[in-house]
Amino acid sequence: MKDFFYIGLVGVLFFSIHPAFSQTYFQEISAEAGISHPGLNRSAAVGDFNNDGQDDIFVCRINKPNLLYKNNGNNTFTEVAADLGLDFTGNSNTAVWGDLDNDGWLDLYVGVRETNNFLYHNNGDGTFTEIAREAGVQALRNPRSVHFVDVNRDGLLDIYVANLREQNNLYQNLGNMKFRDVVYESNTRDVQIAQAAIFFDYDNDGDQDLYLTHDAYQANILYQNDGKGYFTDVSAFSHTNIHIQSMGVDVGDINQDGWLDLYITNLGKNVVLMNNQDGTFSNASSRTGLIDNGMGWGNCFLDFDNDGFIDVYTANDSYFAPYPNVLQRNLGNDTFGIVEAQTPIASMGGSYGAASLDINKDGLLDLFVANTGSEGNQLFLNTTASPGNYLNIRARGTSSNRNAVGTKVTLEAEGSIFTDEINAGSGFASQNSFTLHFGLGSLRYIDKMTVVWPNGNKDIFENIPVNQTLNLLEGEGLFDSSLPQYELRLGPNPVENGLTLSLRIQKPQFIEIQLYSSQGKAISSIISKELNSGKHEFEWENPKLGAGLYFLKIKYDGGMDIQKIWIK
């Protein structure tokens, strides 16, 4: 009875000293959505594994089967991990989605304590194959956070693993789903109490830098990338070497100056590090009001009401410290106020992972929380009344990695600047949607949009209407994914002497099919011509190419796709 009174009293005091907003912005739909599985749920990784245009959610768990929630498109999910062989039972801490072989299908890497990590290769037919040993990424350590990133800008996603009290791993992607650990060569070695990490371009030089958090008052580290995959510790100079009990970390442009800032959760007061645009950061925790005192784990930036200013959600382990999860709104002057302090989104569960995604494509970001108690996982549907305008960006790399991880998008409109990047791994052991979401308030047009791709290519667009999802293709501009798809059948595959391509299209259009190496180098043009609707058949003779994985890039009216072929 004493413990109950203490928790209740602290809760009353906590709610009474912070501003609150009367409107209800989120509705909990966990039970009806089919995601409320109780148990030690640790993290949430968002990705569209089956290419149906809907974001799905993978959940790591301790001592229970991992979960994969397939999005049904009607605010409900179906749990399918067992059907796909992804239901490992053990001590899974963290996971991340990404297309490691650029074949158009998301692969899944899972970090597991006290056993080998798993790499599930997406076969593109509704099945996965576990290939960690063959790929060289099976390390038996204590992973706390995993990330996909192209550190050397070669068009292939690499894998970074932050381990607790053991050497971290940086697996360089060699192509053909083979990797080697270059943590020493890259100078990203660390054997401290690592908790979370994030790759982002803090200095706006076009490559992905690394921020690594530590528990037990060990200093956090900021590594600066030289653009070729070699990192230099710039923590002291940048003033990012804070000594707290760090857990999760996310990045966002709080003050709309075009430079990404850091938000770090903590056991105690969380920390905001504002980017000074000169390679240094300043501690702005007290000034912003983002100093939640709970046992902070997962966190994510999101503009939940589309007013043009990014907000923050923090997941707290309320079993350890009696503070709820907290949603804090950006008031537009670099300060934040608590929203919905006494509704379900202010959960008093044992929350760890948190991720944002738009489950119903209504232009409003929803929230998923992985909990470690009897309350189970939670899904909060964004029901904000009269939200502002928005713009969603879905990017696809061609010479850059297909998921466009590391791409920076900057919007300029009526004197305002909005900046964000595509990350694969953030918060605590979790991953937000690959779709970038910008709240825009009352703005109706974007004057200029600058897209800087991971390999340094830049695309610029002007006069863009809001309230839509833009599909960007690197170097090709915008494409409309809603247009009818072509049908292409290949055989034989694997290829020895030649390949037959049977193509059926719905309307007359210009078709181009090119062959690329696994490193993204153009090899030959197979088709490049205007075709009538109907069925067409083409023969391609193998000019004695070396054995291995290759890609066909198919450009059609309104879009592009990639299919993989194997050459014997």
Side-chain angles (χ1 to χ4, degrees):
M1 189 68 180
K2 180 180 178 181
D3 291 340
F4 176 82
F5 175 77
Y6 171 73
I7 292 173
L9 178 60
V10 172
V12 169
L13 290 174
F14 175 76
F15 292 138
S16 65
I17 61 176
H18 290 81
F21 300 86
S22 59
Q23 180 180 338
T24 298
Y25 298 93
F26 287 87
Q27 173 189 356
E28 183 177 0
I29 60 169
S30 310
E32 52 265 48
I35 60 89
S36 54
H37 290 73
L40 299 177
N41 301 291
R42 295 286 291 180
S43 62
V46 175
D48 179 9
F49 80 91
N50 56 356
N51 284 350
D52 66 352
Q54 306 282 348
D55 275 331
D56 312 296
I57 307 169
F58 184 82
V59 178
C60 287
R61 310 173 88 199
I62 305 296
N63 296 327
K64 283 194 174 184
N66 293 334
L67 305 167
L68 176 56
Y69 296 119
K70 181 176 71 71
N71 192 333
N72 298 322
N74 58 357
N75 293 349
T76 69
F77 292 76
T78 301
E79 204 289 297
V80 297
D83 297 339
L84 302 181
L86 303 178
D87 59 334
F88 169 76
T89 300
N91 294 313
S92 300
N93 277 324
T94 177
V96 65
W97 294 101
D99 188 352
L100 293 173
D101 55 357
N102 290 329
D103 68 348
W105 298 89
L106 291 182
D107 310 301
L108 178 68
Y109 189 75
V110 181
V112 184
R113 178 166 57 90
E114 299 174 350
T115 188
N116 296 316
N117 296 340
F118 296 104
L119 175 56
Y120 296 101
H121 180 243
N122 192 330
N123 299 317
D125 59 1
T127 66
F128 289 81
T129 302
E130 204 290 304
I131 61 168
R133 172 177 286 184
E134 305 94 292
V137 295
Q138 200 183 18
L140 175 60
R141 292 182 180 168
N142 191 354
R144 303 293 280 182
S145 179
V146 296
H147 306 263
F148 288 164
V149 59
D150 184 0
V151 297
N152 56 358
R153 302 198 288 185
D154 65 351
L156 298 170
L157 288 177
D158 311 300
I159 306 173
Y160 184 77
V161 186
N163 293 300
L164 185 74
R165 293 193 180 95
E166 297 184 80
Q167 186 57 258
N168 296 340
N169 306 101
L170 177 56
Y171 294 112
Q172 180 187 1
N173 192 333
L174 304 177
N176 206 18
M177 293 301 278
K178 302 294 182 183
F179 298 79
R180 71 183 183 98
D181 195 347
V182 296
V183 69
Y184 290 100
E185 297 171 41
S186 65
N187 196 39
T188 55
R189 59 192 182 276
D190 178 74
V191 294
Q192 300 182 84
I193 305 178
Q195 288 288 359
I198 193 164
F199 285 87
F200 74 113
D201 185 7
Y202 87 92
D203 51 4
N204 280 355
D205 67 349
D207 54 47
Q208 292 287 282
D209 310 299
L210 168 63
Y211 191 68
L212 181 65
T213 75
H214 294 109
D215 199 354
Y217 299 101
Q218 295 178 350
N220 293 348
I221 301 175
L222 178 62
Y223 295 101
Q224 184 182 43
N225 192 344
D226 70 351
K228 299 178 181 179
Y230 182 83
F231 293 79
T232 301
D233 185 341
V234 295
S235 312
F237 170 78
S238 62
H239 310 305
T240 55
N241 56 341
I242 58 174
H243 297 71
I244 58 174
Q245 298 180 78
S246 299
M247 301 299 172
V249 59
D250 199 8
V251 296
D253 186 4
I254 291 175
N255 56 355
Q256 296 184 336
D257 62 355
W259 297 73
L260 294 173
D261 312 302
L262 286 158
Y263 179 53
I264 304 114
T265 56
N266 178 38
L267 173 53
K269 294 182 177 180
N270 297 336
V271 174
V272 176
L273 298 178
M274 297 289 284
N275 196 324
N276 296 323
Q277 307 180 23
D278 60 0
T280 69
F281 290 75
S282 297
N283 192 322
S285 309
S286 297
R287 176 165 59 85
T288 59
L290 287 171
I291 53 174
D292 171 56
N293 291 307
M295 172 68 264
W297 290 95
N299 60 333
C300 56
F301 281 108
L302 73 161
D303 186 354
F304 75 87
D305 54 0
N306 290 343
D307 67 350
F309 300 98
I310 57 169
D311 314 301
V312 174
Y313 187 69
T314 303
N316 288 316
D317 182 356
S318 304
Y319 297 163
F320 187 92
Y323 291 89
N325 296 349
V326 59
L327 176 63
Q328 293 171 278
R329 170 189 275 160
N330 188 332
L331 303 179
N333 57 359
D334 300 346
T335 66
F336 290 75
I338 289 180
V339 180
E340 293 200 82
Q342 301 182 59
T343 67
I345 203 168
S347 169
M348 284 294 292
S351 301
Y352 280 76
S356 65
L357 69 162
D358 184 356
I359 68 168
N360 53 4
K361 297 184 178 180
D362 64 351
L364 293 170
L365 287 178
D366 312 299
L367 284 164
F368 181 92
V369 179
N371 288 310
T372 62
S374 59
E375 69 276 0
N377 297 317
Q378 292 178 291
L379 180 62
F380 299 102
L381 182 69
N382 193 329
T383 57
T384 300
S386 303
N389 297 321
Y390 73 94
L391 186 68
N392 286 339
I393 306 294
R394 299 179 63 185
R396 183 188 297 177
T398 52
S399 57
S400 296
N401 69 85
R402 184 181 172 94
N403 293 136
V405 173
T407 297
K408 177 173 287 187
V409 177
T410 301
L411 310 180
E412 299 174 53
E414 298 184 14
S416 295
I417 298 176
F418 308 85
T419 301
D420 203 358
E421 288 184 356
I422 299 175
N423 306 116
S426 62
F428 175 73
S430 295
Q431 178 180 17
N432 298 317
S433 173
F434 282 115
T435 300
L436 290 183
H437 173 91
F438 293 92
L440 299 171
S442 61
L443 295 172
R444 295 190 299 168
Y445 285 89
I446 299 302
D447 299 327
K448 181 180 179 182
M449 178 173 71
T450 303
V451 182
V452 180
W453 299 89
N455 64 3
N457 290 339
K458 183 184 293 186
D459 290 328
I460 296 176
F461 307 87
E462 296 180 342
N463 300 320
I464 302 170
V466 302
N467 294 334
Q468 63 170 320
T469 296
L470 295 180
N471 295 283
L472 305 182
L473 187 63
E474 181 182 9
E476 304 290 340
L478 306 179
F479 68 95
D480 185 351
S481 60
S482 67
L483 290 177
Q485 298 293 306
Y486 66 91
E487 179 184 356
L488 178 64
R489 296 186 178 182
L490 309 172
N493 193 11
V495 179
E496 187 169 4
N497 298 317
L499 180 69
T500 299
L501 299 90
S502 297
L503 176 68
R504 184 184 298 275
I505 56 177
Q506 301 300 319
K507 63 178 183 178
Q509 57 186 286
F510 188 84
I511 297 289
E512 182 177 22
I513 301 180
Q514 293 179 303
L515 181 69
Y516 284 78
S517 71
S518 60
Q519 284 75 38
K521 181 180 179 181
I523 296 175
S524 66
S525 177
I526 297 177
I527 303 169
S528 182
K529 61 192 307 183
E530 188 80 24
L531 297 176
N532 293 323
S533 59
K535 185 177 179 180
H536 304 268
E537 195 165 280
F538 302 90
E539 300 291 334
W540 173 75
E541 184 177 348
N542 178 14
K544 303 304 179 184
L545 295 174
L549 176 66
Y550 293 80
F551 297 97
L552 293 176
K553 182 164 75 170
I554 305 103
K555 295 182 182 179
Y556 56 94
D557 187 4
M560 187 205 78
D561 205 353
I562 294 177
Q563 293 199 23
K564 61 182 178 181
I565 62 171
W566 293 91
I567 293 181
K568 294 181 179 180

